[in-house]
Amino acid sequence: MQKNDEREGTVISVGMNGEGVLKDDGKVVFVSFSLPGEKIRYKVLKVDGNIAYGKVLEVCTPAEDRVRPKCPVFGKCGGCQLQHVKYPDQLKIKQEKVKTCFSKIAFSELKINPCVKSKNEYRYRNKLQLPVSVDAFGNTITGFYADNSHRIVPIEDCPINAPWTADAIKAFKEYFKIAGVCGYDEKTGRGDIREITVKDVKGSLIFTVVSVKDELKNADILIDILKKHFTCEFSLFFNVNKSTGNVIYGEKFKLLYGSKTFSSDMLGVKYAAGVKSFMQVNDYVCAKLYGTVCDLACADENTVVIDAYSGAGLMTAMLAVRAKKAVGIEIEPEAVRLANELALNNGLSQKISNYLGKCEEIMSDIIKKEVLDGDKTVLVLDPPRKGCDLKVIDAVIKSGIEKIIYVSCKPSTLARDVGLITGTLQWGENGVKKAENPILRYRVDSVTPFDMFPQTKHVETVVSLTKNKV
Ligand SMILES: C[S@@+](CC[C@H](N)C(=O)[O-])C[C@H]1O[C@@H](n2cnc3c(N)ncnc32)[C@H](O)[C@@H]1O
């Protein structure tokens, strides 16, 4: 097999990124947008030892679970990987993905609950993130990045994003044209705008324009255009980001119009969301997930819940309602400020303490300080995609906490961290490895995937662990 060969094969399984997997010429071949059972004709894009990557040229016998994608740029844009799969089969793929991660990474054969489905298969996202740049002719374009690249695929709308997406794109295009503002070109360093983000907080919108320049040209024109397109409440922020990395926002946000935050509520808790505070992207699935975490925590008036990586404190407050006390730990100052306000506005200030800092630096001492003898303790971990720092895992193990609930948006780092906590994995000089004859510190009671991100390969998972009596 060589690069650019055109070959035929039958897909046998689904890989970690939702791609079809087949065996051909002694190699395992990954072919995006193909499905198990399908006979395909494909072109070889890359051969790397026993592994190869291909591109579908023709689906000769389509699988029963294949459907027509809704998006005209599906396959070109890197956002969605599964629009060609019937929704119930997407859920099965995600359940299987979580199972495979635990098996291959943590050496744990676990029963995985069925994936909790989203109410909306499309139009579910409450957060739009649009890079802005220029095309080969110097025209300003906005869209999404092609897979693994910084090449923008221009779009007019996006079917997994909120119904206002097409209007937002139209409004910004109008502004670029009238105000003479250009997209930023990474290669030449010319231009102004590099990103537009929009957050939907229960129907109110927070627009942010990210630029490499210190001022937003003709901001008043943009405000007027947004007023024309949107009758809902909205605010407009300006952010300067001159860095060369992949981080979306720079340090400072300037409010140009409207309120700093907007209010919403979930499962009886009122909250305010701001420009920087983390929000799950699918409100319906988020409520299901938080409800599940609260049920699994089984907190009562004798329980202290430590909510590590607590964001703007919404889940902390839900946990506090049933517990003696809840303690949030979060790195982002604005999120901690909002979490304190949230506690106050819900009459929970006496039951919630929010700490600002890195979990790896302060969690261990907080557990010692906040948990008194006789208190039952539950730990909730909800880290970003990279998972927990080893110092956090170490602190968890040393604390001997009875019950842990781990919420994760990346099954591979989840499996690694759960393997380290339970003891199927250990770390040494060369990184994480399989533990020989482990005595398991924790047992896994349940693993439940949640489909926070339909049409994509991504999945959110909640794992409940209980300390084994040794
Ligand atoms: C996946 S979000 C979870 C937020 C919250 N639990 C929720 O559901 O809204 C992860 C959060 O961890 C915070 N974070 C990232 N690294 C951190 C660290 N080292 N220590 C504490 N918080 C951190 C982020 O700012 C973010 O708010």
Side-chain angles (χ1 to χ4, degrees):
M1 181 186 294
Q2 281 189 334
K3 187 176 168 179
N4 291 330
D5 278 359
E6 290 188 12
R7 307 180 64 92
E8 272 190 9
T10 301
V11 179
I12 50 174
S13 60
V14 184
M16 281 298 152
N17 297 311
E19 70 280 64
V21 182
L22 55 90
K23 286 198 176 143
D24 189 7
D25 200 23
K27 301 192 192 308
V28 177
V29 192
F30 295 91
V31 186
S32 296
F33 315 118
S34 66
L35 286 170
E38 290 184 334
K39 191 172 167 200
I40 58 168
R41 224 164 48 73
Y42 71 96
K43 182 172 176 176
V44 180
L45 298 176
K46 186 177 168 189
V47 182
D48 186 3
N50 289 333
I51 290 176
Y53 301 89
K55 177 182 162 187
V56 180
L57 295 174
E58 187 189 350
V59 179
C60 312
T61 50
E64 261 185 26
D65 48 356
R66 179 175 280 277
V67 285
R68 186 177 289 276
K70 280 203 178 176
C71 180
V73 293
F74 176 66
K76 294 191 185 105
C77 151
C80 293
Q81 298 75 31
L82 297 174
Q83 279 193 30
H84 61 303
V85 186
K86 270 187 194 155
Y87 191 56
D89 295 285
Q90 291 187 23
L91 299 173
K92 283 188 205 143
I93 287 173
K94 294 185 187 191
Q95 184 184 9
E96 199 53 38
K97 172 174 172 159
V98 175
K99 188 168 179 55
T100 308
C101 279
F102 274 103
S103 171
K104 290 203 170 154
I105 297 169
F107 306 100
S108 299
E109 299 309 323
L110 299 175
K111 173 183 168 282
I112 313 294
N113 289 330
C115 188
V116 174
K117 66 180 183 184
S118 172
K119 186 169 85 179
N120 297 324
E121 295 166 24
Y122 283 93
R123 297 283 179 214
Y124 60 86
R125 283 187 64 97
N126 57 25
K127 188 172 87 178
L128 175 68
Q129 234 165 266
L130 282 173
V132 185
S133 189
V134 284
D135 64 14
F137 308 101
N139 302 313
T140 297
I141 48 166
T142 97
F144 295 119
Y145 290 126
D147 203 17
N148 282 325
S149 95
H150 258 209
R151 184 174 55 78
I152 292 179
V153 177
I155 58 153
E156 308 276 317
D157 190 6
C158 167
I160 64 168
N161 269 285
W164 42 255
T165 304
D167 274 337
I169 294 171
K170 246 189 239 152
F172 277 95
K173 279 189 175 170
E174 207 175 310
Y175 163 67
F176 296 150
K177 204 166 161 190
I178 296 175
V181 176
C182 283
Y184 172 66
D185 186 344
E186 279 178 349
K187 286 187 203 118
T188 62
R190 279 196 220 115
D192 310 40
I193 312 295
R194 55 194 293 174
E195 196 98 18
I196 291 158
T197 65
V198 193
K199 270 186 184 175
D200 186 332
V201 187
K202 212 178 180 183
S204 298
L205 303 182
I206 303 176
F207 294 95
T208 307
V209 181
V210 185
S211 172
V212 291
K213 301 270 169 71
D214 291 314
E215 290 291 323
L216 184 64
K217 245 201 251 169
N218 297 320
D220 47 338
I221 293 183
L222 176 57
I223 293 165
D224 284 345
I225 291 173
L226 290 172
K227 277 185 188 162
K228 190 177 78 183
H229 282 267
F230 294 93
T231 51
C232 63
E233 250 192 315
F234 72 84
S235 56
L236 174 65
F237 283 86
F238 177 60
N239 177 270
V240 182
N241 184 2
K242 298 184 184 191
S243 74
T244 46
N246 284 340
V247 181
I248 293 177
Y249 296 128
E251 281 284 299
K252 286 205 178 108
F253 287 83
K254 188 173 171 193
L255 179 63
L256 300 178
Y257 177 81
S259 307
K260 214 169 167 198
T261 58
F262 288 114
S263 307
S264 187
D265 58 277
M266 189 176 280
L267 304 182
V269 175
K270 295 175 276 177
Y271 67 96
V275 69
K276 277 205 272 180
S277 43
F278 172 86
M279 262 169 67
Q280 295 282 5
V281 299
N282 183 329
D283 292 339
Y284 173 86
V285 178
C286 177
K288 292 252 169 208
L289 187 148
Y290 287 170
T292 302
V293 172
C294 290
D295 289 345
L296 289 168
C298 279
D300 57 21
E301 63 279 7
N302 298 315
T303 310
V304 174
V305 185
I306 312 279
D307 185 13
Y309 307 92
S310 48
L314 183 53
M315 196 160 61
T316 322
M318 289 170 187
L319 290 159
V321 169
R322 300 194 211 168
K324 176 179 169 187
K325 180 164 196 185
V327 180
I329 309 172
E330 165 63 40
I331 199 171
E332 187 59 61
E334 197 212 340
V336 175
R337 190 183 61 74
L338 289 173
N340 284 331
E341 259 176 45
L342 186 149
L344 192 69
N345 292 339
N346 286 280
L348 290 166
S349 288
Q350 301 299 320
K351 290 178 109 192
I352 294 177
S353 306
N354 289 305
Y355 286 86
L356 172 65
K358 292 182 180 171
C359 287
E360 54 273 34
E361 288 174 3
I362 61 174
M363 193 180 88
S364 181
D365 285 346
I366 289 170
I367 296 175
K368 282 181 207 142
K369 180 171 173 236
E370 293 285 353
V371 182
L372 302 175
D373 277 348
D375 287 341
K376 215 168 75 183
T377 315
V378 177
L379 173 66
V380 176
L381 295 164
D382 186 3
R385 294 176 66 74
K386 65 178 181 194
C388 295
D389 188 281
L390 277 183
K391 284 190 198 135
V392 172
I393 303 283
D394 195 41
V396 171
I397 293 169
K398 286 191 179 135
S399 74
I401 279 174
E402 278 295 308
K403 194 183 268 284
I404 300 168
I405 302 170
Y406 193 135
V407 183
S408 159
C409 57
K410 192 161 186 200
S412 56
T413 54
L414 169 71
R416 179 201 64 201
D417 291 353
V418 169
L420 286 168
I421 293 170
T422 57
T424 60
L425 297 176
Q426 62 185 55
W427 62 85
E429 277 169 21
N430 299 322
V432 173
K433 61 173 189 176
K434 185 177 180 183
E436 301 300 331
N437 307 317
I439 298 166
L440 296 184
R441 292 181 277 262
Y442 285 84
R443 71 165 189 270
V444 177
D445 295 320
S446 65
V447 183
T448 310
F450 288 77
D451 195 16
M452 191 75 78
F453 321 95
Q455 317 304 333
T456 79
K457 62 184 174 184
H458 303 291
V459 62
E460 198 81 18
T461 310
V462 176
V463 176
S464 170
L465 301 147
T466 305
K467 190 163 167 29
N468 278 329
K469 299 210 171 17
V470 206

